[in-house]
Amino acid sequence: MAVSPLVWKLQRFFNIGNERRMKQAIRLVDAVANQVITNKRNHLLLLLQEEEAEEDLLSRFMRVVGNDDVFLRDIIISFLLAGRDTVAAALTSFFWLVAKHRHVQSEILAEASRVLGPDDDSVSYEQVEKLQYLQAAVYESMRLYPPIQFDSKFAQSDDVLPDGTPVRKGDRVTYHPYAMGRSEGIWGRDCLDFKPERWLRSGSGSFCPPVNPFEYPVFQAGLRVCLGKEMALVEMKTVAVSLLRRFHFNPTTSSDDHHHPRFSPGLTATFSGGLPVLVRQRN
């Protein structure tokens, strides 16, 4: 974000300013990741002695790559960036939109009562899968406010895009899910409206995933599709239905922020200053 790349290059060379602080922050993140690796490795050794196996994702990576701690560190940081911050950003936008559109909230609660029962607070995986309207609302929320607003890929070799644009080896190609979610050519004239119904089949009311995932690249698509997609959806739906059934949420943002939320600069679409709300328990 510097005026000129020369600024950060000089700061990095002399180890001053933001570049110095970033190096310190990276060392801290690396130390946390390395501690996770050490703890997991010790735990796996203990299980090995007891002839038991651990089946979490990090353990599986460890069995594949062995003692490559640099690779494992990168995996752990990816978990944090891709699996934690994005879900938090997506849930923030979801609650903001649902609070603005009371009819959507009513539909979610009515569906939850049908599927879960009126008084049952526990939610099973099978029940979450049946919450079709909630899934549509989550997809619609991420269409308007994707957790990752833009992303880039670098070409490993020369290629040509479908419209004939040549891409050379090493070129950076950036796509913008935030802008694509507001494209009238993809979503029609009501592209700026929050309408979960656009994701439901007429008649049955069942969820209808996008025909072309490349037009809805919130979870990327093709060979690069997000590994944690299904887990993220289950997590979001579980948290959303659990909180909406227990509490009323009323945003306390200013009139300007009420219509257009401001985002902090960064990889994920984090609301600047968070989302202040008044919370009231439901009867």
Side-chain angles (χ1 to χ4, degrees):
M1 297 184 66
V3 176
S4 167
L6 185 62
V7 175
W8 67 261
K9 289 181 178 179
L10 286 172
Q11 287 184 337
R12 179 172 294 185
F13 181 80
F14 291 107
N15 193 28
I16 58 175
N18 288 336
E19 289 297 314
R20 178 184 178 87
R21 287 192 291 273
M22 187 171 74
K23 284 183 180 180
Q24 294 170 344
I26 289 174
R27 281 198 294 269
L28 177 60
V29 172
D30 286 350
V32 172
N34 289 330
Q35 187 61 52
V36 171
I37 294 170
T38 300
N39 292 343
K40 175 60 69 175
R41 188 167 283 139
N42 293 336
H43 183 59
L44 290 176
L45 288 174
L46 183 61
L47 290 176
L48 187 62
Q49 294 172 1
E50 298 175 358
E51 297 183 353
E52 296 181 13
E54 188 93 330
E55 291 303 326
D56 63 88
L57 202 53
L58 181 57
S59 299
R60 295 187 179 199
F61 273 111
M62 282 183 158
R63 288 202 293 270
V64 172
V65 303
N67 294 322
D68 189 348
D69 285 4
V70 173
F71 179 84
L72 293 172
R73 177 206 64 193
D74 292 345
I75 288 294
I76 290 171
I77 294 172
S78 295
F79 286 169
L80 293 173
L81 291 176
R84 176 188 175 277
D85 295 353
T86 51
V87 170
L91 281 171
T92 304
S93 302
F94 172 83
F95 280 110
W96 181 73
L97 284 168
V98 168
K100 286 178 57 183
H101 299 81
R102 295 294 181 180
H103 67 285
V104 173
Q105 186 172 160
S106 298
E107 288 288 341
I108 292 173
L109 293 173
E111 179 185 60
S113 293
R114 291 194 304 269
V115 174
L116 309 177
D119 302 316
D120 191 1
D121 286 336
S122 61
V123 183
S124 68
Y125 174 80
E126 290 73 19
Q127 289 173 322
V128 168
E129 288 295 293
K130 295 178 182 178
L131 298 173
Q132 300 291 286
Y133 188 87
L134 176 59
Q135 175 130 340
V138 168
Y139 263 73
E140 180 71 348
S141 171
M142 290 190 292
R143 177 182 72 83
L144 291 171
Y145 296 102
I148 304 293
Q149 295 185 346
F150 62 92
D151 198 4
S152 301
K153 305 296 177 192
F154 292 86
Q156 288 186 325
S157 58
D158 292 351
D159 203 350
V160 179
L161 297 182
D163 67 349
T165 303
V167 178
R168 304 303 178 195
K169 179 180 179 180
D171 281 356
R172 172 178 178 168
V173 179
T174 298
Y175 63 99
H176 208 302
Y178 183 93
M180 293 173 68
R182 288 164 163 71
S183 170
E184 188 173 318
I186 299 176
W187 302 103
R189 293 186 177 181
D190 62 351
C191 59
L192 298 181
D193 297 336
F194 179 59
K195 292 176 59 177
E197 291 76 14
R198 75 174 78 241
W199 297 92
L200 300 175
R201 292 186 176 91
S202 57
S204 66
S206 59
F207 177 76
C208 181
V211 176
N212 182 358
F214 291 93
E215 292 181 347
Y216 182 81
V218 172
F219 293 102
Q220 305 191 59
L223 297 176
R224 294 290 184 176
V225 68
C226 174
L227 293 175
K229 173 184 175 181
E230 297 304 323
M231 184 178 71
L233 288 170
V234 170
E235 190 174 355
M236 287 182 61
K237 289 164 66 177
T238 302
V239 171
V241 73
S242 297
L243 291 179
L244 287 176
R245 297 189 83 193
R246 297 174 186 175
F247 304 102
H248 293 276
F249 293 92
N250 293 309
T252 60
T253 51
S254 65
S255 58
D256 184 52
D257 289 343
H258 182 72
H259 298 288
H260 302 287
R262 293 185 175 93
F263 296 96
S264 299
L267 180 64
T268 53
T270 304
F271 275 39
S272 180
L275 179 63
V277 293
L278 288 174
V279 181
R280 181 165 51 89
Q281 190 167 5
R282 295 183 184 275
N283 295 329

